[in-house]
């Protein structure tokens, strides 16, 4: 509970408790005063303690009571010459109840207070008195108060009190000084209104079970009680908390207790931590800035991952249309001059590498401008989708034999035809097209490599190197085949079947065009249907060109005029007039609602708060970061997640299913992907029921069995 609601709640709570004080008496907490000395000298410091002993299931409150309750107060009535210091509080417990977070004290606690004696005190016996006020709660809350007192003799010697050991033992329960923890704090997200995520980290040599941070009181900000543990290097602990600021600026320093459990013992460390101001301006996560949350692996390992991922991309559904065309090309090259076959293989590889180089430069430019980049970022561009949908349609029509264009053509039709030619230009264009389509997929090993390259702290040279290595992996099988002519003899001999195969390959390309068109609705809404009309006009123009110019040149002039009218009219009237393709709708932010299929998994929108809430309830959590343009997400991951066995398991475990829609590249999801070393989707996480355990990252090649095994481990 944040902000004015919390303030109003506490004011009403105080009024109700104040009124209750007239009719109710605290009967579940007993208070008494203990002094560490029976006899003390002038100038000494005497340790005093107010012991509160509560009945079972009852509690009082820490100095920061949290979102309800009131801290215990001690009002001293001291003789002249004695002054009381601040209360030294023991480590509290955190209580999460009915969406409220409070910090409580239970059983028997001692609030320690140092009493300083003036050096000019005269010998004699003094009465030390105090009024103690508290609030004790179980289901209901009752105000309590007590007048406590003890006697202290002033003399020229020191004599310990009978219960001095109790005070000494209570000192061992106080928080320690946290200067040795090397604690640090960084903003973990850009502001979302007046709320923001803060990552807090520190050194720890112990196996920590439940790390947490209990904040001191502050008038400038409020910290949520929910805590999410983040992955971290050995010897480090990182957690994430939500901060809500008041009308003041974002805090620059936080103070409170670092709390960690190691087995059955609880340790607390008092810290005052400056918040890294550099992170606050960019909203970059600590993962990316310091590699403290997810360590960046070695470059050699990531280059190997990039290479293997590039190889696997060749069998992913997004590259299927281009693979089919390359198979056709290999058959045609089988009887050619081996030197020409090798040259075409290298040119194809050049097309792949040039396009990956261009993509890397785009990513570096976006990062240099202070923005966030993700894998497949071009699929979030409306103009790219319109052009690629038109181009894929023309390529499909060309494969169907509707028209043929010579390599010297300069129109978009000529560009479309390049993909089905087997010369140098066709090989290079195929390399470009393979890269463009491949970026809608990720493959095993590829996600980690891309996340490594996209890390905000990564150097430009490393980013370029990783991207070029992916390109080498994608292009290598074709280069190897063209440089091993003996292997080509296993391919079928050229014949009539090649023309039929070519036509058949038009259908995968047509499917790619349909898929690309489906993505335009994200940018144009109902207006996207005008693109269908434009594609029909383009198809008619392509048919006119093939039928009346290529195959029957007797009506060339009339056909040319008709094509010009069709294309010009289609562009001006349909694209510009009705689709308004240069005016896409504004997109941004994360998906705020999820459309669930009847009988399917009841998905809820992902947010850090939703994860924290579910984990505070000790429920397993499945998070699916996906996008409508991601073929891997929709052809591999989604069927595995929506399988009947997984649905039954989620229902049986009362698990929470959260969906993070990355279709329009919202920054908060980009940051979450970066936190796990990824730069694109899919990413599926399974959070265990124990809030202190980090989430499990599932592989891209996901199966229902993998998910079921992860869910089983999550509830152990």
């Amino acid at each position: 509970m944040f902000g004015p609601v919390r303030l109003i709640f506490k004011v009403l709570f105080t009024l109700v408790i104040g009124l209750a004080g007239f009719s109710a008496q605290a009967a579940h907490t007993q208070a008494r005063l203990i002094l560490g000395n029976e006899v003390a000298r002038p100038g000494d410091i005497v340790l005093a303690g107010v012991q509160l002993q509560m009945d079972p299931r009852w509690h009082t409150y820490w100095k920061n009571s949290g979102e309800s309750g009131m801290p215990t107060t001690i009002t001293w009535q001291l003789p002249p010459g004695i002054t009381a210091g601040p209360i030294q509080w023991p480590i509290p417990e955190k209580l999460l109840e009915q969406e409220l977070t409070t910090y409580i004290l239970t059983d028997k606690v001692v609030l320690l207070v140092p009493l300083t004696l003036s050096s000019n005190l005269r010998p004699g016996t003094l009465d030390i008195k105090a009024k103690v006020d508290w609030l004790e709660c179980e289901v209901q809350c009752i105000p309590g108060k007590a007048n406590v007192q003890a006697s202290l003799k002033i003399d020229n010697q020191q004599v310990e009190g009978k219960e001095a050991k109790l005070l000494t033992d209570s000192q061992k329960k106080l928080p320690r000084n946290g200067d040795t923890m090397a604690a640090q704090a960084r903003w973990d997200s850009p502001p979302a209104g007046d709320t923001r995520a803060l990552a807090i980290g520190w050194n720890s040599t112990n196996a920590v079970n439940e790390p947490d941070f209990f904040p001191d009181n502050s008038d400038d900000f409020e910290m949520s009680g929910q805590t999410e543990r983040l992955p971290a290097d050995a010897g480090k602990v990182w957690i994430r908390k939500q901060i809500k600021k008041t009308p003041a600026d974002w805090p620059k320093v936080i103070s409170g207790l670092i709390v960690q459990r190691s087995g059955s013992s609880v340790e607390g460390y008092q810290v005052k931590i400056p918040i890294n101001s550099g992170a606050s301006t960019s909203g970059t996560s600590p993962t990316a800035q310091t590699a403290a949350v997810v360590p960046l692996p070695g470059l050699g390992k990531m280059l190997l991952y990039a290479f293997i991922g590039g190889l696997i991309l060749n069998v992913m559904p997004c590259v299927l249309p281009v693979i089919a065309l390359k198979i056709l090309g290999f058959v045609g090259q089988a009887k050619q001059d081996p030197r020409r076959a090798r040259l075409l293989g290298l040119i194809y590889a050049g097309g792949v590498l040039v396009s990956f180089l261009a993509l890397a430069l785009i990513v570096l430019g976006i990062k240099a401008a202070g923005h966030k980049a993700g894998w497949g970022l071009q699929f979030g561009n409306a103009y790219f989708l319109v052009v690629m949908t038109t181009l894929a349609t023309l390529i499909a029509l060309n494969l169907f034999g509707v028209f043929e264009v010579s390599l010297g053509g300069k129109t978009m039709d000529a560009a479309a035809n390049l993909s089905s030619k087997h010369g140098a230009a066709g090989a290079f264009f195929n390399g470009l097209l393979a890269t463009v389509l491949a970026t809608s997929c990720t493959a095993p090993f590829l996600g980690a490599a891309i996340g490594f390259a996209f890390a905000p702290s990564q150097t430009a040279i490393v980013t370029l190197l990783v991207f070029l290595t992916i390109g080498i992996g994608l292009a290598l099988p074709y280069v190897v085949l063209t440089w091993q002519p003996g292997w080509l003899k296993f391919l079928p001999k050229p014949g009539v079947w090649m023309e039929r195969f070519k036509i058949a390959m038009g259908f995968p390309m047509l499917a790619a065009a349909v898929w690309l068109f489906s993505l335009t609705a994200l940018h144009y809404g109902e207006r996207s249907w005008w693109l269908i009309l434009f594609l029909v006009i383009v198809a008619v123009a392509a048919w006119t060109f093939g039928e009346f110019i290529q195959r029957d040149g007797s009506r060339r002039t009339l056909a040319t005029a008709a094509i010009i009218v069709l294309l010009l009219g289609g562009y001006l009237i349909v694209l510009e007039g009705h689709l308004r393709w240069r005016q896409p709708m504004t997109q941004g932010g994360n998906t705020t609602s999820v459309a669930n299929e009847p009988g399917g998994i009841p998905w809820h929108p992902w947010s850090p708060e939703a994860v924290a809430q579910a984990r505070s309830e000790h429920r397993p959590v499945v998070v699916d970061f996906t996008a409508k343009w991601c073929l891997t997400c929709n052809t591999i991951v989604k069927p595995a997640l929506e399988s009947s066995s997984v649905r039954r398991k989620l229902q049986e475990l009362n698990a929470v299913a959260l969906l993070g829609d990355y279709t329009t590249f919202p920054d908060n999801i980009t940051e979450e992907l970066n936190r796990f070393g990824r730069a694109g989707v899919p990413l599926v996480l399974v959070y265990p029921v124990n809030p202190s355990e980090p989430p499990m990252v599932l592989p891209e090649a996901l199966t229902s069995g993998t998910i079921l095994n992860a869910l089983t481990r999550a509830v152990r």
Side-chain angles (χ1 to χ4, degrees):
M1 185 184 296
F2 276 154
V5 176
R6 173 184 170 182
L7 180 60
I8 293 171
F9 181 89
K10 294 196 76 169
V11 170
L12 292 176
F13 188 85
T14 303
L15 289 174
V16 170
I17 293 302
L19 292 174
F22 289 104
S23 58
Q25 294 296 321
H28 302 279
T29 302
Q30 288 75 44
R32 65 190 185 101
L33 178 61
I34 305 168
L35 297 181
N37 292 82
E38 290 183 2
V39 182
R41 298 170 300 190
D44 284 348
I45 296 178
V46 175
L47 188 61
V50 173
Q51 184 188 67
L52 298 175
Q53 184 161 351
M54 291 146 272
D55 290 347
R57 299 188 302 276
W58 287 79
H59 62 261
T60 57
Y61 291 94
W62 188 52
K63 61 179 179 179
N64 176 12
S65 61
E67 294 176 320
S68 68
M70 292 184 295
T72 299
T73 61
I74 304 174
T75 306
W76 291 98
Q77 302 164 11
L78 300 173
I82 300 181
T83 57
I87 299 175
Q88 298 176 1
W89 297 82
I91 303 168
E93 302 173 34
K94 183 171 73 173
L95 178 63
L96 294 172
E97 192 172 39
Q98 297 179 349
E99 299 185 357
L100 295 177
T101 300
T102 54
Y103 302 99
I104 64 171
L105 303 172
T106 60
D107 194 17
K108 180 166 61 177
V109 298
V110 178
L111 307 183
L112 299 174
V113 178
L115 301 179
T116 302
L117 309 184
S118 173
S119 59
N120 57 7
L121 278 176
R122 294 181 179 181
T125 300
L126 302 177
D127 289 331
I128 310 298
K129 300 179 180 180
K131 178 186 177 185
V132 186
D133 293 274
W134 65 85
L135 184 69
E136 58 184 32
C137 299
E138 186 197 28
V139 176
Q140 61 176 348
C141 292
I142 304 173
K145 61 182 179 180
N147 293 311
V148 295
Q149 67 176 25
S151 296
L152 176 66
K153 184 178 180 180
I154 306 300
D155 205 340
N156 59 358
Q157 61 179 334
Q158 282 187 333
V159 178
E160 279 193 350
K162 296 179 181 178
E163 295 186 275
K165 186 177 185 303
L166 175 60
L167 299 185
T168 303
D169 292 342
S170 298
Q171 284 183 304
K172 298 176 183 178
K173 299 179 182 179
L174 297 177
R176 306 175 194 174
N177 186 299
D179 291 345
T180 61
M181 305 293 287
Q184 52 186 312
R186 289 182 173 84
W187 293 116
D188 202 28
S189 72
D194 56 0
T195 303
R196 197 172 189 182
L198 180 71
I200 305 171
W202 62 88
N203 294 335
S204 179
T205 57
N206 298 328
V208 179
N209 298 330
E210 299 178 21
D212 212 334
F213 184 83
F214 298 169
D216 290 336
N217 274 316
S218 175
D219 295 329
D220 298 328
F221 69 92
E222 298 168 5
M223 181 180 289
S224 69
Q226 285 78 15
T227 303
E228 181 180 359
R229 185 168 186 176
L230 304 174
D233 285 340
K236 294 287 293 185
V237 175
W238 278 94
I239 61 174
R240 179 164 56 197
K241 307 282 284 188
Q242 297 297 319
I243 297 289
K244 183 166 183 139
K245 70 180 181 71
T246 60
D249 197 4
W250 294 103
K252 295 179 174 57
V253 177
I254 58 170
S255 64
L257 296 186
I258 287 175
V259 179
Q260 55 185 24
R261 293 182 181 272
S262 301
S264 59
S265 65
V266 180
E267 299 174 341
Y269 298 87
Q270 184 70 44
V271 292
K272 187 174 184 180
I273 313 172
I275 299 176
N276 188 310
S277 58
S280 64
T281 57
S282 65
T284 305
S285 71
T287 307
Q289 291 183 359
T290 67
V293 176
V294 178
L296 292 179
L299 176 60
K301 181 179 179 181
M302 286 299 100
L303 291 179
L304 177 62
Y305 281 7
F307 177 73
I308 297 174
L311 286 174
I312 297 175
L313 274 179
N314 284 289
V315 296
M316 299 302 286
C318 44
V319 193
L320 176 62
V322 180
I323 291 176
L325 296 176
K326 287 310 300 174
I327 293 174
L328 197 63
F330 284 143
V331 174
Q333 295 165 16
K335 303 303 181 183
Q336 291 181 0
D337 180 3
R339 288 178 299 178
R340 176 170 172 77
R342 289 195 292 267
L343 177 62
L344 292 178
L346 292 175
I347 291 175
Y348 170 80
V352 172
L353 294 179
V354 166
S355 53
F356 267 101
L357 178 62
L359 183 58
L361 292 174
I362 292 172
V363 169
L364 292 174
I366 292 173
K367 289 168 61 177
H371 301 292
K372 295 179 176 61
W375 181 252
L377 55 90
Q378 71 271 22
F379 289 95
N381 186 287
Y383 311 139
F384 168 85
L385 292 175
V386 171
V387 173
M388 280 301 299
T389 302
T390 305
L391 182 58
T393 302
L394 285 169
I395 294 174
L397 293 173
N398 180 252
L399 292 171
F400 289 144
V402 173
F403 70 102
E404 297 287 344
V405 180
S406 65
L407 292 178
K410 297 181 180 180
T411 62
M412 183 181 289
D413 293 344
N417 189 53
L418 289 177
S419 66
S420 62
K421 295 295 181 181
H422 312 310
F428 188 83
F429 184 81
N430 262 315
L432 294 176
L433 187 61
T435 301
V436 170
L437 294 178
T439 52
S440 67
C441 284
T442 57
F445 300 100
L446 189 61
I450 295 171
F452 180 80
F454 274 68
S457 60
Q458 198 58 271
T459 64
I461 296 298
V462 171
T463 299
L464 291 171
L465 194 57
V466 171
F467 271 74
L468 289 176
T469 305
I470 297 172
I472 292 173
L474 180 62
L476 185 63
Y478 306 108
V479 175
V480 171
L481 283 174
T482 55
W483 280 69
Q484 294 291 333
W487 294 357
L488 295 176
K489 66 182 181 181
F490 295 104
L491 295 173
K493 295 181 179 180
V496 177
W497 73 268
M498 290 179 60
E499 184 63 26
R500 294 174 180 169
F501 183 78
K502 174 186 172 183
I503 294 173
M505 289 304 98
F507 292 101
M509 189 59 70
L510 187 61
V514 172
W515 163 64
L516 288 165
F517 164 76
S518 69
L519 303 180
T520 61
L522 302 171
H523 302 274
Y524 300 104
E526 292 294 328
R527 287 156 42 198
S528 61
W529 288 103
W530 287 99
L531 181 58
I532 290 289
L533 179 58
F534 175 73
L535 295 177
V536 171
I537 293 173
V538 169
V540 172
W543 173 79
T544 302
F545 178 81
E547 190 68 26
F548 297 103
I549 294 181
Q550 289 186 319
R551 288 183 280 274
D552 181 6
S554 61
R555 301 179 183 179
R556 182 181 299 270
T557 303
L558 181 60
T560 301
I563 292 171
I564 293 174
V565 170
L566 284 169
L567 294 179
L568 189 60
Y571 178 81
L572 294 176
I573 297 174
V574 180
L575 282 191
E576 291 284 357
H578 290 87
L579 178 63
R580 302 195 303 279
W581 78 291
R582 292 185 296 168
Q583 302 172 32
M585 299 183 299
T586 302
Q587 296 287 342
N590 190 16
T591 303
T592 56
S593 62
V594 176
N596 290 312
E597 299 179 3
I601 296 174
W603 295 100
H604 303 278
W606 170 87
S607 69
E609 295 78 11
V611 174
Q613 176 63 34
R615 302 204 80 187
S616 70
E617 298 170 357
H618 298 282
R619 299 172 64 185
V621 183
V622 175
V623 180
D624 178 22
F625 292 107
T626 184
K628 293 180 174 63
W629 45 260
C630 172
L631 281 178
T632 305
C633 304
N634 293 287
T635 60
I636 297 176
V637 175
K638 186 175 181 179
L641 282 169
E642 293 288 351
S643 65
S644 58
S645 58
V646 172
R647 291 201 306 268
R648 286 194 302 269
K649 189 71 171 180
L650 291 173
Q651 186 175 11
E652 172 189 332
L653 300 179
N654 192 27
V656 177
L658 302 177
L659 189 72
D661 191 346
Y662 196 52
T663 301
T664 56
F665 299 90
D667 284 347
N668 60 337
I669 293 183
T670 300
E671 292 164 1
E672 193 72 5
L673 294 173
N674 291 343
R675 189 187 323 286
F676 292 96
R678 301 296 177 87
V681 292
L683 174 63
V684 178
L685 307 173
V686 175
Y687 288 82
V689 294
N690 186 344
S692 65
E693 294 184 20
M696 292 172 274
V697 180
L698 303 191
E700 292 94 337
L702 198 59
T703 65
S704 57
T706 304
I707 303 169
L708 293 173
N709 289 336
L711 288 171
T712 300
R713 294 197 303 271
V715 297
R716 285 176 181 170

